[in-house]
C-alpha cells in the first residue's frame, strides 16, 4: 500500500507518534572509539531500532499507516511486514512481499510502500530506505547485522518459543520445517565473509520469571515436561529460571545458546536490552506498563521497526 496522506487513519492518535524507545545498538561497536570520517560513515550505515509499546495497539494495519510522518522523517520508503503468527522460522526475501495496493505507486517523498502477505518470521534488508516491522506481545525480536566487503545486510526476525524450538520434532514427529530454529534461518542468510563480523541484538521479550511452562500443568504438563527436558539437554540449565519443573523459560538465553555453535567458525557479538515485556513499567510517570504482554492478559501488540 502506498501512503500519501494518512490523516484518515489517525483518529484518536497524536499527530506525531514517538517511539517508546529508539537506539542504534551497533553504532558504538562499529566505531570502537574512533572519531575519523570513515568510522563515522560506518556508524551511519548501521540499522536503527524503534520500539513502540503502550498505550497504542500496534496489531492492526491502521496504526502502521498512522506512522507515515514518522517514516517520512526517518527516510523510510519501503516497509516490510511479515506475518509471524505461525512461528515457521522462515526468513523471507524482499521479492516475496506484495504491495497491499498494486495500483498505487509512490509519486513523492511523502509516500512509503507497505509490503506484506508473507507468512514468515523475518526478512532480509540490504538497501537504504528499507525497514521491517515485527508485531508481538512477549516474543523477542532478533536483529542481525553485518558490514563487510560484500556490503551491508540486516536480518530482522521474530523469535517466539515455537520459532526457536520445533515442537513437532521434540515430540517425535520429525521436523516440521527446514530449520529447527529461526536462529539457524538467520545464519543461513550470511555468507562466510559476512559472518567474520556479525552483530546481533535481541530486544523486547518476556523475562523468564513470567514465562512458565509447569510440568504439573493440568492439560499441558506432558508437553511441558518434554519441552523442559529438551531445553535442559540441548542448551543447559541457564536457559530457565529456578527449578526445571516450573518451566520458566528464558527466550533470550536460548537465543544466545543457539548462536553459540556458530562461533566456532564465525565472529558473533550478541547484545540484549535485557528488558521484560511483562514487568517493565514507567515508574513515576503515572502511565503503568511500558509494553503489552500476552502473558499478562493483553490482547494488543507492540511494534519493533528496524530501518536501514
Amino acid at each position: 500500500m502506498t501512503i500519501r496522506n494518512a490523516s484518515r487513519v489517525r483518529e484518536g492518535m497524536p499527530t506525531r507518534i514517538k517511539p517508546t524507545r529508539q537506539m542504534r545498538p551497533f553504532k558504538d561497536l562499529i566505531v570502537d572509539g574512533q572519531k575519523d570520517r570513515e568510522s563515522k560513515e560506518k556508524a551511519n550505515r548501521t540499522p536503527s531500532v524503534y520500539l513502540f509499546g503502550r498505550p497504542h495497539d500496534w496489531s492492526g494495519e491502521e496504526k502502521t499507516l498512522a506512522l507515515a510522518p514518522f517514516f517520512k522523517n526517518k527516510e523510510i520508503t519501503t516497509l516490510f511486514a511479515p506475518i509471524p503468527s505461525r512461528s515457521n522460522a522462515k526468513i523471507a526475501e524482499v521479492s516475496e512481499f506484495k504491495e497491499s495496493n498494486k495500483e498505487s505507486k509512490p509519486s513523492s517523498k511523502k509516500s512509503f510502500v507497505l509490503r506484506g502477505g508473507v507468512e514468515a518470521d523475518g526478512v532480509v534488508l540490504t538497501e537504504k530506505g528499507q525497514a521491517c516491522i515485527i508485531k508481538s506481545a512477549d516474543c523477542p525480536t532478533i536483529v542481525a547485522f553485518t558490514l563487510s566487503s560484500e556490503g551491508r545486510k540486516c536480518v530482522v526476525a521474530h523469535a517466539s518459543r515455537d520459532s526457536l524450538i520445533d515442537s513437532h520434532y521434540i515430540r517425535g514427529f520429525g521436523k516440521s520445517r527446514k530449520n529447527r530454529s529461526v536462529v539457524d534461518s538467520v545464519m543461513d542468510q550470511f555468507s562466510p565473509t559476512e559472518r567474520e563480523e556479525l552483530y546481533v541484538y535481541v530486544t523486547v521479550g518476556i523475562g523468564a520469571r513470567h514465562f512458565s511452562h509447569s510440568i504439573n500443568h493440568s492439560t499441558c504438563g506432558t508437553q511441558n515436561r518434554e519441552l523442559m527436558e529438551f531445553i535442559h539437554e540441548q542448551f543447559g540449565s541457564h536457559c530457565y529460571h529456578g527449578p526445571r519443573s516450573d518451566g520458566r523459560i528464558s527466550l533470550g538465553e536460548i537465543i544466545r545458546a543457539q548462536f553459540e555453535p556458530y562461533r566456532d567458525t564465525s565472529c558473533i557479538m550478541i547484545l540484549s536490552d535485557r528488558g521484560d515485556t511483562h514487568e517493565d513499567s514507567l515508574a513515576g510517570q503515572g502511565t503503568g506498563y511500558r509494553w503489552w504482554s500476552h502473558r499478562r492478559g493483553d490482547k494488543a501488540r507492540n511494534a519493533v521497526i528496524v530501518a536501514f
Side-chain angles (χ1 to χ4, degrees):
M1 178 179 291
T2 304
I3 310 305
R4 296 187 181 87
N5 186 347
S7 60
R8 70 184 189 280
V9 296
R10 290 191 213 139
E11 184 178 352
M13 299 187 71
T15 303
R16 293 286 182 177
I17 307 170
K18 297 181 179 179
T20 308
R21 285 188 61 202
Q22 60 183 14
M23 73 286 292
R24 249 191 170 145
F26 311 123
K27 181 177 179 180
D28 292 339
L29 295 175
I30 294 289
V31 174
D32 194 24
Q34 302 298 313
K35 298 182 179 181
D36 58 280
R37 183 176 179 179
E38 183 179 355
S39 296
K40 290 182 179 179
E41 289 179 351
K42 284 185 177 181
N44 290 333
R45 298 180 70 192
T46 61
S48 297
V49 180
Y50 306 99
L51 312 178
F52 295 83
R54 293 164 64 99
H56 305 300
D57 177 5
W58 298 98
S59 58
E61 187 176 279
E62 69 277 5
K63 296 299 188 292
T64 304
L65 305 187
L67 289 173
F70 174 82
F71 296 141
K72 178 187 175 184
N73 180 260
K74 300 302 180 182
E75 299 182 338
I76 294 172
T77 56
T78 308
L79 182 69
F80 298 94
I83 304 170
S85 54
R86 290 181 56 199
S87 295
N88 60 9
K90 175 182 176 177
I91 304 298
E93 298 290 340
V94 295
S95 59
E96 298 179 57
F97 291 81
K98 300 177 181 179
E99 289 186 40
S100 298
N101 186 346
K102 293 182 179 180
E103 296 179 357
S104 297
K105 300 294 179 183
S107 59
S108 71
K109 293 182 180 180
K110 295 181 180 180
S111 301
F112 77 94
V113 178
L114 177 62
R115 293 183 178 271
V118 180
E119 291 189 332
D121 272 326
V123 66
V124 183
L125 306 177
T126 58
E127 298 180 8
K128 180 176 174 59
Q130 292 181 338
C132 171
I133 183 169
I134 300 290
K135 301 176 182 182
S136 68
D138 278 333
C139 306
T141 296
I142 297 172
V143 184
F145 170 73
T146 185
L147 183 59
S148 70
S149 59
E150 296 181 8
R152 65 175 186 157
K153 179 184 292 183
C154 182
V155 178
V156 186
H158 164 259
S160 69
R161 178 198 62 204
D162 291 344
S163 301
L164 296 167
I165 299 173
D166 186 347
S167 59
H168 286 261
Y169 176 79
I170 65 176
R171 292 179 198 169
F173 298 129
K175 292 170 61 176
S176 66
R177 56 206 188 198
K178 176 184 175 182
N179 289 322
R180 296 182 189 176
S181 170
V182 69
V183 168
D184 299 319
S185 300
V186 167
M187 291 301 295
D188 281 351
Q189 311 308 312
F190 296 100
S191 69
T193 299
E194 291 171 328
R195 293 183 183 188
E196 290 176 0
E197 192 171 350
L198 185 62
Y199 302 92
V200 175
Y201 184 62
V202 182
T203 187
V204 190
I206 190 170
R209 291 197 308 141
H210 304 288
F211 197 44
S212 60
H213 301 73
S214 173
I215 66 173
N216 298 313
H217 192 277
S218 58
T219 56
C220 302
T222 299
Q223 295 178 14
N224 289 344
R225 182 185 296 275
E226 293 172 344
L227 174 65
M228 293 310 298
E229 287 177 354
F230 178 82
I231 291 173
H232 181 80
E233 293 172 2
Q234 295 292 317
F235 311 124
S237 60
H238 66 286
C239 290
Y240 53 87
H241 176 80
R244 194 197 314 179
S245 58
D246 289 349
R248 299 183 187 279
I249 298 171
S250 171
L251 295 176
E253 290 301 327
I254 290 175
I255 291 169
R256 285 177 176 271
Q258 291 185 346
F259 272 111
E260 193 62 33
Y262 292 100
R263 287 185 164 180
D264 292 339
T265 56
S266 310
C267 181
I268 306 174
M269 182 171 291
I270 303 176
L271 308 173
S272 172
D273 62 11
R274 299 288 184 180
D276 186 340
T277 48
H278 189 281
E279 66 180 28
D280 283 359
S281 63
L282 298 170
Q285 298 184 34
T287 51
Y289 292 106
R290 189 186 302 269
W291 314 110
W292 300 108
S293 171
H294 178 73
R295 282 287 174 128
R296 206 172 53 231
D298 296 332
K299 302 299 182 182
R301 292 293 181 266
N302 307 303
V304 178
I305 295 177
V306 181
F308 249 1

